[in-house]
Amino acid sequence: MAGRTVRRTRSGESLSHDRTFLCRGRSALAGVLLAAVLAGCGTASGDTGIAVPTFPAEQSGAAQAGRAPIPIALPTDCVQLMDPEQAGALFGQVLGSVSVQSVRGVPEASVNRTERTACTYRAGGQAQAFGGARNSGPVLFQLNIGRYGDTASATRQWQLNTNAERGSATASRDITVGSVPGVLVERPDETTLALVYGVDTLTFILPVAAPGQTRSASETLPDLAQRIIPALTPTQPPSARPTPAAPPAPAPQAGTGAAGNARGTT
């Protein structure tokens, strides 16, 4: 047999000493190559000229929890701001009966607005979804959010908007929600709360005919704002993030009976 010799044993054939020596030689050579590779790796990792990657603390925490970092942008889905079940609980609606419609606006370079999101919460929309009329129920409240390139642009636009709103109002007054400045504007058919928060302007609209109201608009609108503002804080650029408003009391549980029998108590 060319290239190797064999010797007979009781259990059969085995390799000769020449073959064993050849295998040991190959093993030794592999060991030398492996040592060289490891030595090269050790040199690279010790190079002080290679920058060590770092990650923001909040991103690291999110990664450890298995969640992606919160995008620096307005949420595209209003559910991320307030769940329909929470809205239903605040307005004393039947569990699972509130729907929310999200509409994305377009930027407006002339006023330095970069994004816009509009939210409409409706009573009965969820129950009517099976009949193909999901967003036809009565409006609980509406929310329009504009995001601007900087806080100065947001404040300037808020002042322009509120001055215009006051002109057609039956009554208006300055208020604060926590530390967030706002203007409450009353009309015969609705009440509006306009706020400026960091790089965002928020406009809440509460119809007088909104179902399930047991509180005045001056109580309901600030309560809604306190629940939604904290969700916007982590979506703003870090350099523009203001101090979040103090959180309100927990929302009541949504009712399980008729809408007229389940009322919010906060």
Side-chain angles (χ1 to χ4, degrees):
M1 183 177 298
R4 73 173 186 175
T5 58
V6 298
R7 60 187 177 85
R8 299 287 180 180
T9 65
R10 290 182 180 179
S11 59
E13 296 182 350
S14 66
L15 296 177
S16 68
H17 291 289
D18 292 340
R19 176 62 174 168
T20 302
F21 177 78
L22 180 60
C23 291
R24 289 177 178 173
R26 289 178 178 175
S27 298
L29 178 60
V32 171
L33 291 174
L34 178 61
V37 171
L38 293 176
C41 293
T43 302
S45 64
D47 186 352
T48 57
I50 299 177
V52 178
T54 58
F55 303 93
E58 63 183 60
Q59 292 189 13
S60 300
Q64 292 174 3
R67 296 184 302 234
I70 297 175
I72 305 301
L74 283 180
T76 57
D77 189 345
C78 297
V79 172
Q80 297 172 265
L81 297 171
M82 175 175 281
D83 187 273
E85 298 303 338
Q86 185 182 20
L90 292 171
F91 284 85
Q93 300 301 299
V94 176
L95 185 67
S97 67
V98 173
S99 69
V100 58
Q101 182 181 20
S102 307
V103 177
R104 290 286 286 174
V106 296
E108 183 53 67
S110 63
V111 293
N112 199 20
R113 190 179 72 206
T114 59
E115 298 178 81
R116 188 175 186 275
T117 296
C119 310
T120 302
Y121 288 81
R122 294 180 181 269
Q126 201 87 349
Q128 297 175 31
F130 300 102
R134 176 177 176 79
N135 293 307
S136 63
V139 173
L140 294 175
F141 73 93
Q142 294 173 286
L143 168 62
N144 298 317
I145 308 173
R147 174 152 296 179
Y148 294 80
D150 51 58
T151 56
S153 297
T155 300
R156 181 170 56 250
Q157 191 61 36
W158 170 73
Q159 290 172 336
L160 289 172
N161 291 343
T162 53
N163 288 339
E165 292 280 350
R166 289 179 194 267
S168 59
T170 56
S172 66
R173 58 189 174 94
D174 296 330
I175 68 169
T176 57
V177 178
S179 59
V180 180
V183 174
L184 191 72
V185 177
E186 298 179 16
R187 293 188 177 87
D189 58 342
E190 65 185 24
T191 301
T192 299
L193 173 62
L195 304 168
V196 59
Y197 179 69
V199 292
D200 294 339
T201 59
L202 297 86
T203 304
F204 294 83
I205 303 170
L206 180 69
V208 170
Q213 286 196 78
T214 58
R215 299 178 296 173
S216 67
S218 62
E219 293 176 297
T220 301
L221 288 173
D223 183 54
L224 288 172
Q226 283 185 293
R227 298 176 191 281
I228 286 177
I229 284 174
L232 290 172
T233 306
T235 74
Q236 295 197 19
S239 60
R241 290 176 188 171
T243 302
Q253 295 298 314
T256 56
N261 295 330
R263 300 291 184 180
T265 58
T266 59

